Amino acid sequence: MSEPRLPASTYRLQVTADFDLFEAARRLPYLHDLGVDWVYLSPILEAEPGSRHGYDVVRFDRVDPARGGAEGLAAVAAEARRLGMGVLVDIVPNHVGVATPVENPWWWDVLRLGRDSEHATAFDVDWAAGDGRILVPVVGDGDEDAVRVVAGPDGPEVRYHDHRFPMAPGTTTLEEQHYELVGWRRADTDLNYRRFFAINTLAAVRVEDPEVFADSHVEIRRWFDEGLVDGLRVDHPDGLRFPGRYLDDLADLTGGAYVLVEKILEPGEDLPREWATHGTTGYDALALVDRVLTDPTGQKPLDELEGRLRGAPVDWAELVRGTKRAVADGILQSEVRRIVRELGTDDPAPARDAVAELLACFPVYRSYLPAGRTHLDEAFESARRHRPDLAATFDALLPALRDPWSRAARRFQQTSGMVMAKGVEDCGFYRWSRLTSLNEVGGDPSVFSLDVDDFHHAMTVRQRDWPHAMTTLSTHDTKRGEDVRARITVLAEVPDVWEAALAELLRLVPLPDPGFGSLLWQAVLGAWPASAERLHGYAEKAMREAGDRTTWTEPDEAYEAAVHAAVDAVFTSAEVQRVLTDLAARVDTAGRSNSLAAKLVALTMPGVPDVYQGSELWETSLVDPDNRRPVDFDHRAAVLAGTEDDDAADKLRLTRAALTLRRDRPGLFTSYAPVLAEGPAARHVLAFDRGGAVTVATRLPVGLADRGGWSDTTLVLPPGTWRDVLTDQPASDRLADLLRDLPVALLVRDDA
């Protein structure tokens, strides 16, 4: 294979029916002017009707007509080639959308013909567990009579309200079908096909089967055969049976193209070096950037505040063990039962208990046996401590779950990541509110901060091992946009100010759970100002995902009303508005400093920087779907051209300068070395040399201001005469002079 083309940077676009591929092509000149090297597209294969995200693919053989179709992709590719840009596309090998069976030819055929379907092996179905039928959990409580056989456009069909299902040839009754429509609650325990997490309408695909791989990648192969696409981002590789083998197959198909994996790494965990990938999609980098800008002195007072709000100190490890166990016993119990069936135990009840406990204790997303056996051993050790009564059962399970060739071990590996994601990101993150800028995908909220020396070490390793992995600050999946987090991060520097403001807000609008109140008011502060619709949407999702007071399936109306009343008070109570306005004013300047620092560091640190759509200006989105709102590209282009102004114009100009330098002068970004500071405010600067481009960023800006500024603190710059490309001014080694106008600088030698 020839050496792949590698991007200097990417810019993520969410492709929808409203912002289709033709519109994406039309926006490429703006991205090029911004300094972007490659455009990065969300999934574009045909998805469920009306899908806003594209992760519910229904056909593998064509680009979604609603998103512009093959002609739209050709338009993007042609315009990218004209501008000298590359194209990166997000693909979804793990699962397909089955919410509308008639739209998915493979699923429809399997429902119609059962195990005789040519696509039966494409889906991960335990036929025996359903007595030869696929259980489809769509029926509402007490609504079984609504399932009926009716005349359809192509013959008899099964209907349940608006849901359509096929009839097996030559059959007339429901009992004769290869599937059974069952109550939706049975999905938790009885579902017999693998899903994406706990979403019943996303059925998993067995890409480990060579024929399934070939058939599901036929359109992707065309993209590379015709030179339309240069690289791929692989969604959720941890759901696959053999991620490493899949990436090898993908490399063969693409000719060794640039490939990234959406792999969540826990602190201290390494991406398997043998994988055919250039690295992760950047959540690990995001966690490092956020923490090097977080004041460690805020940890103790914020811990104490959280303990008072919750009624006791919070043990994060125990909290998430509990939430993961609840997931394994609840919405993913059907997966636990399938693992136990594959273990072949004679006594399934204690085996289910033990497997659920092991999943709850698993320290990372998954292992890749034999690699990662230490993680499995750690899970067994932890499970034995928590459940000594299951010691004999653990002894019985250990040989099978440590055997890379065991079917049960392979399925356990596919399941542990599901439990982690649902128990931690989608639950635990909403139950701990100490400093919610740390409650982010790819990060461990219990890791409060990172000192400068540790950051430099991490970057040195990153430059050595994964120089082309992605870096990012915001994505379509982040819980809070980068500038929401930047503002919340300031609270670590002013915990007393935050505590007083929160106490006043809770006095003005009492909440049943003051701990959740802290999480809610941090979100309001971070996104301020935001519309009532956005904040109500966030409040509903946050409290239901937390799941301890109200849930999606069993909402507590009184509790939810109290939370929504707090959101209403943001817009109706002058006293609440006063507290929020005063608090926002207190953190605004420092929040802006953090925003610009994080952006410059993320754009210039080792790796390939991605800019999520619109985040060249303030990115104050909350959790999805808020972070997938339309972007005003006309305004951004006007700000870039200087014909319109914006409060975040400095951020856009910084983004352009850094991206342009990375694209046009890549030789300045080929190594990594710390740049040291000397003087009384040395701890307030983060600086590094990438091989000719020097990044300088302010950290802990409140503390810097409190101590009177930079004073005579200086940088130990490499030899030469330097210029700041952000201000186009000569660069001084005195930080008081260098950072007079902006809290950041990007330096290059005048004679370079």
Side-chain angles (χ1 to χ4, degrees):
M1 298 179 185
S2 60
E3 287 297 313
R5 180 182 180 185
L6 301 173
S9 65
T10 62
Y11 189 104
R12 168 81 174 208
L13 293 175
Q14 293 297 112
V15 181
T16 67
D18 298 323
F19 187 94
D20 65 10
L21 290 162
F22 292 105
E23 183 64 13
R26 193 168 77 83
R27 298 299 179 178
L28 290 188
Y30 161 70
L31 299 189
H32 184 265
D33 291 344
L34 190 63
V36 174
D37 193 26
W38 285 23
V39 63
Y40 168 21
L41 305 174
S42 63
I44 58 174
L45 290 176
E46 184 169 350
E48 288 277 1
S51 173
R52 301 292 300 173
H53 50 75
Y55 289 96
D56 44 5
V57 170
V58 295
R59 291 186 59 156
F60 290 115
D61 60 348
R62 66 184 185 186
V63 177
D64 195 342
R67 287 171 164 77
E71 296 81 3
L73 178 59
V76 169
E79 182 66 352
R81 299 294 175 262
R82 185 184 74 81
L83 295 166
M85 299 174 70
V87 180
L88 179 72
V89 178
D90 195 346
I91 63 169
V92 191
N94 179 70
H95 54 267
V96 292
V98 296
T100 317
V102 71
E103 299 291 340
N104 187 321
W106 289 15
W107 187 249
W108 184 266
D109 198 60
V110 172
L111 293 180
R112 179 172 171 267
L113 299 177
R115 282 172 284 187
D116 292 333
S117 167
E118 63 177 309
H119 300 296
T121 58
F123 297 99
D124 195 351
V125 180
D126 185 349
W127 293 96
D131 292 328
R133 307 167 86 185
I134 297 176
L135 303 184
V136 182
V138 296
V139 180
D141 295 339
D143 198 28
E144 293 80 5
D145 291 344
V147 179
R148 61 194 190 281
V149 177
V150 301
D154 299 311
E157 289 182 357
V158 176
R159 292 282 179 89
Y160 174 68
H161 299 296
D162 293 335
H163 297 275
R164 297 174 55 197
F165 301 91
M167 295 280 285
T171 64
T172 58
T173 67
L174 296 173
E175 292 73 21
E176 296 175 281
Q177 305 314 309
H178 298 287
Y179 59 89
E180 180 183 2
L181 304 189
V182 300
W184 65 276
R185 296 181 189 273
R186 288 185 61 186
D188 290 358
T189 54
D190 299 337
L191 197 73
N192 64 333
Y193 61 90
R194 185 167 60 86
R195 302 160 288 177
F196 171 69
F197 296 167
I199 303 176
N200 302 332
T201 54
L202 295 176
V205 176
R206 297 180 60 255
V207 290
E208 64 269 21
D209 183 310
E211 290 188 8
V212 175
F213 176 89
D215 290 344
S216 61
H217 287 67
V218 61
E219 174 65 5
I220 295 169
R221 179 184 292 277
R222 182 184 74 83
W223 300 345
F224 286 90
D225 288 347
E226 298 182 12
L228 299 170
V229 168
D230 302 285
L232 300 172
R233 179 259 199 197
V234 177
D235 182 67
H236 190 49
D238 277 350
L240 307 180
R241 176 147 287 202
F242 306 116
R245 186 188 302 174
Y246 170 79
L247 291 170
D248 288 339
D249 292 342
L250 198 63
D252 289 341
L253 182 145
T254 66
Y258 181 72
V259 167
L260 297 171
V261 289
E262 187 215 19
K263 167 63 184 171
I264 306 300
L265 296 170
E266 292 301 302
E269 184 185 7
D270 296 322
L271 188 67
R273 295 300 308 276
E274 66 273 14
W275 281 10
T277 178
H278 290 84
T280 73
T281 54
Y283 291 115
D284 46 332
L286 179 159
L288 297 174
V289 174
D290 281 353
R291 282 160 179 75
V292 79
L293 300 178
T294 301
D295 188 352
T297 64
Q299 180 170 356
K300 184 175 185 294
L302 290 175
D303 273 339
E304 292 172 350
L305 173 59
E306 180 75 356
R308 289 193 294 273
L309 294 171
R310 302 285 180 181
V314 176
D315 183 327
W316 172 251
E318 281 304 299
L319 186 155
V320 298
R321 190 190 73 84
T323 56
K324 290 169 66 178
R325 181 63 204 245
V327 167
D329 289 337
I331 58 176
L332 291 178
Q333 173 64 197
S334 58
E335 303 294 336
V336 171
R337 293 186 177 202
R338 189 165 182 186
I339 294 169
V340 171
R341 288 197 296 272
E342 295 193 345
L343 284 165
T345 178
D346 294 329
D347 192 359
R352 288 198 293 264
D353 196 0
V355 168
E357 190 64 30
L358 288 167
L359 291 167
C361 293
F362 210 79
V364 298
Y365 267 66
R366 64 167 285 176
S367 58
Y368 311 94
L369 293 176
R373 182 168 290 170
T374 56
H375 299 310
L376 182 64
D377 292 343
E378 184 179 338
F380 268 95
E381 181 181 347
S382 176
R384 290 178 193 277
R385 286 198 310 271
H386 286 96
R387 294 295 304 277
D389 57 306
L390 291 173
T393 306
F394 290 135
D395 290 343
L397 298 184
L398 181 59
L401 293 183
R402 291 188 69 181
D403 180 0
W405 298 96
S406 158
R407 292 176 60 196
R410 293 171 175 179
R411 189 162 301 282
F412 183 92
Q413 292 184 121
Q414 290 178 283
T415 305
S416 59
M418 300 184 196
V419 174
M420 177 75 88
K422 297 306 297 180
V424 180
E425 295 172 18
D426 293 346
C427 183
F429 277 7
Y430 296 97
R431 292 193 189 182
W432 200 26
S433 50
R434 176 178 68 175
L435 187 69
T436 58
S437 54
L438 305 177
N439 297 17
E440 194 49 81
V441 178
D444 182 340
S446 69
V447 180
F448 192 84
S449 61
L450 183 73
D451 67 31
V452 170
D453 288 344
D454 287 340
F455 180 85
H456 287 318
H457 174 71
M459 292 304 102
T460 301
V461 172
R462 185 180 179 88
Q463 175 65 30
R464 182 193 69 201
D465 295 344
W466 300 103
H468 305 296
M470 184 174 278
T471 69
T472 191
L473 289 178
S474 299
T475 76
H476 62 288
D477 273 339
T478 39
K479 304 298 184 183
R480 295 161 187 82
E482 61 201 57
D483 298 313
V484 175
R485 301 197 310 276
R487 186 179 281 183
I488 293 172
T489 296
V490 180
L491 301 182
E493 292 199 77
V494 291
D496 54 336
V497 173
W498 166 239
E499 182 173 358
L502 178 61
E504 182 65 1
L505 290 167
L506 293 174
R507 184 189 69 81
L508 293 170
V509 193
L511 286 168
D513 181 351
F516 180 82
S518 176
L519 181 138
L520 177 65
W521 287 118
Q522 287 180 59
V524 173
L525 172 67
W528 183 266
S531 69
E533 180 183 10
R534 289 180 58 207
L535 293 180
H536 279 297
Y538 175 78
E540 179 181 81
K541 182 164 186 174
M543 60 182 156
R544 292 182 178 180
E545 294 283 70
D548 50 352
R549 300 295 190 103
T550 187
T551 67
W552 291 106
T553 56
E554 296 182 5
D556 183 320
E557 294 183 6
Y559 177 80
E560 294 196 358
V563 173
H564 286 298
V567 174
D568 287 333
V570 174
F571 304 95
T572 61
S573 169
E575 292 179 287
V576 168
Q577 291 172 356
R578 172 186 56 77
V579 176
L580 286 172
T581 300
D582 290 349
L583 182 60
R586 183 70 174 83
V587 305
D588 184 64
T589 299
R592 290 167 179 262
S593 178
N594 286 342
S595 288
L596 296 180
K599 198 65 171 179
L600 183 61
V601 170
L603 292 175
T604 58
M605 65 192 280
V608 175
D610 177 58
V611 177
Y612 183 63
Q613 61 174 25
S615 67
E616 61 270 36
L617 294 179
W618 298 139
E619 168 54 307
T620 57
S621 296
L622 297 168
V623 71
D624 67 277
D626 192 58
N627 54 19
R628 301 170 188 178
R629 289 171 293 143
V631 173
D632 188 345
F633 284 105
D634 289 335
H635 173 61
R636 283 160 175 77
V639 175
L640 185 66
T643 58
E644 291 183 14
D645 199 8
D646 192 279
D647 186 50
D650 284 341
K651 188 183 182 190
L652 184 143
R653 287 191 286 265
L654 177 160
T655 302
R656 174 179 58 184
L659 291 179
T660 301
L661 196 65
R662 293 208 67 158
R663 181 187 65 194
D664 296 349
R665 302 180 66 181
L668 300 179
F669 297 89
T670 57
S671 61
Y672 185 91
V675 173
L676 303 181
E678 297 175 341
R683 71 185 293 260
H684 291 280
V685 65
L686 172 65
F688 50 83
D689 180 5
R690 290 299 320 283
V694 173
T695 291
V696 184
T698 299
R699 61 189 295 269
L700 317 185
V702 174
L704 177 65
D706 288 348
R707 67 166 317 282
W710 293 108
S711 185
D712 57 356
T713 306
T714 59
L715 284 178
V716 184
L717 288 171
T721 303
W722 296 85
R723 175 172 292 274
D724 181 5
V725 300
L726 303 183
T727 61
D728 197 28
Q729 296 295 317
S732 168
D733 62 354
R734 292 189 71 252
L735 286 166
D737 297 329
L738 178 63
L739 303 182
R740 178 180 293 113
D741 298 325
L742 291 171
V744 293
L746 180 57
L747 313 182
V748 297
R749 286 187 179 87
D750 257 345
D751 55 353

